[in-house]
Amino acid sequence: MSLEEKIEVKVDKYRSFLHEDAVNENIVWRHGYAPTYDAVNKLFEDGRKFEWPKGSLEETVQNAIKSWEMELSHKPRLKDFRTINPDKFKLFVNGREGLSGEETLKLGSYNALLKSTMPNKYKYYKVEEESFETSHEVFRKALPRGFAWEVISVYSPPPIIAFKFRHWGFFEGPFKSHAPTGDLVEFYGLGVLKVDESLRVEDVEIYYDPSELFAGFFKGQEITNTDDDAPGLSCPLGH
């Protein structure tokens, strides 16, 4: 990919500063260049339940979370983040001990959200066996059109923002030992953001039931060969 191709990132309606950061030579990108979100944006627009008015609190919260996810997945240095206060940031999932910004960045979004204190034999997904890279690859394969996210409701304004969300995709590639079904998989959850005067996040609390998501994956027939070239399995595409 040429330098011109790397920096040619169009304005993303849901991640307002992505195109600015794409041409900022001081920003380091995990894969060497800024991401594009055309596929998952289409999935989002085709499947969302609400289209929030421009400038509304719901749209602001929705776009802020999308921008944070973009940074967490594609910026390997916390100092390049614009969505959080790196000195204060903590992520709490389902009441577990909070993760710092560096800890969250090291684990990656999937591992941070799916970390569990259950005994290994009861775990749907074993974070201890996954790296940042392998965790993203698992879900890219299973959900080749992407994993869309939307705000369903916002219950309170800044500085403490409480909201309900929905996360969904189509199970069109293998998930671990389960063959794709093509079905919609989704889950709902609640979140609480504590933000500073610049709307940078200091604390995130997320509450959801992982079994809602994994029940969809486990509907797939068990398979013994999960290689990319196995017959009948979808090839992994970009997220």
Side-chain angles (χ1 to χ4, degrees):
M1 181 175 289
S2 70
L3 178 60
E4 289 184 356
E5 289 175 320
K6 288 182 183 180
I7 64 175
E8 191 176 332
V9 176
K10 62 186 178 182
V11 174
D12 189 301
K13 291 184 288 186
Y14 312 111
R15 301 161 187 86
S16 59
F17 55 81
L18 174 56
H19 63 291
E20 297 174 7
D21 285 1
V23 295
N24 184 340
E25 294 182 355
N26 295 317
I27 300 288
V28 172
W29 296 100
R30 186 173 297 277
H31 303 293
Y33 52 89
T36 57
Y37 283 86
D38 292 347
V40 76
N41 284 349
K42 183 177 189 310
L43 177 67
F44 165 72
E45 291 171 354
D46 290 345
R48 62 187 167 187
K49 293 186 180 294
F50 299 96
E51 186 171 355
W52 299 113
K54 189 171 180 60
S56 65
L57 179 58
E58 291 84 358
E59 186 208 40
T60 299
V61 173
Q62 184 168 265
N63 291 356
I65 296 293
K66 289 178 184 290
S67 295
W68 174 58
E69 184 283 326
M70 177 273 294
E71 292 193 307
L72 185 57
S73 295
H74 295 280
K75 291 181 177 179
R77 304 189 308 183
L78 207 62
K79 70 178 185 178
D80 292 334
F81 280 44
R82 298 170 63 170
T83 56
I84 70 170
N85 182 331
D87 296 326
K88 295 184 177 182
F89 181 85
K90 285 283 187 179
L91 170 66
F92 302 86
V93 180
N94 288 339
R96 295 195 301 272
E97 183 179 356
L99 297 170
S100 69
E102 289 291 354
E103 289 170 329
T104 304
L105 185 58
K106 182 178 179 180
L107 282 171
S109 53
Y110 290 115
N111 285 341
L113 291 170
L114 294 170
K115 193 175 172 64
S116 173
T117 56
M118 294 175 65
N120 258 3
K121 64 180 179 179
Y122 297 122
K123 289 181 181 178
Y124 305 110
Y125 172 93
K126 297 178 181 177
V127 168
E128 299 79 7
E129 297 178 2
E130 304 291 345
S131 66
F132 182 108
E133 291 76 15
T134 62
S135 66
H136 279 254
E137 187 65 15
V138 165
F139 286 92
R140 284 193 189 100
K141 286 183 177 181
L143 306 169
R145 281 192 269 168
F147 204 6
W149 190 95
E150 71 171 329
V151 161
I152 297 296
S153 301
V154 176
Y155 304 116
S156 59
I160 306 295
I161 305 169
F163 60 94
K164 182 178 182 179
F165 66 88
R166 171 178 173 245
H167 219 340
W168 77 97
F170 287 91
F171 184 21
E172 297 169 330
F175 180 82
K176 298 290 188 176
S177 61
H178 294 270
T181 63
D183 293 341
L184 172 74
V185 293
E186 64 180 342
F187 69 90
Y188 289 80
L190 299 173
V192 180
L193 302 178
K194 179 183 177 183
V195 299
D196 64 17
E197 62 277 1
S198 301
L199 294 183
R200 294 185 307 165
V201 177
E202 296 181 347
D203 283 352
V204 183
E205 295 181 47
I206 299 294
Y207 300 92
Y208 76 105
D209 181 357
S211 65
E212 282 190 72
L213 171 64
F214 289 109
F217 290 136
F218 291 167
K219 287 180 181 178
Q221 182 179 358
E222 286 204 54
I223 52 180
T224 56
N225 185 353
T226 57
D227 291 341
D228 295 346
D229 297 329
L233 301 184
S234 301
C235 293
L237 302 177
H239 192 277

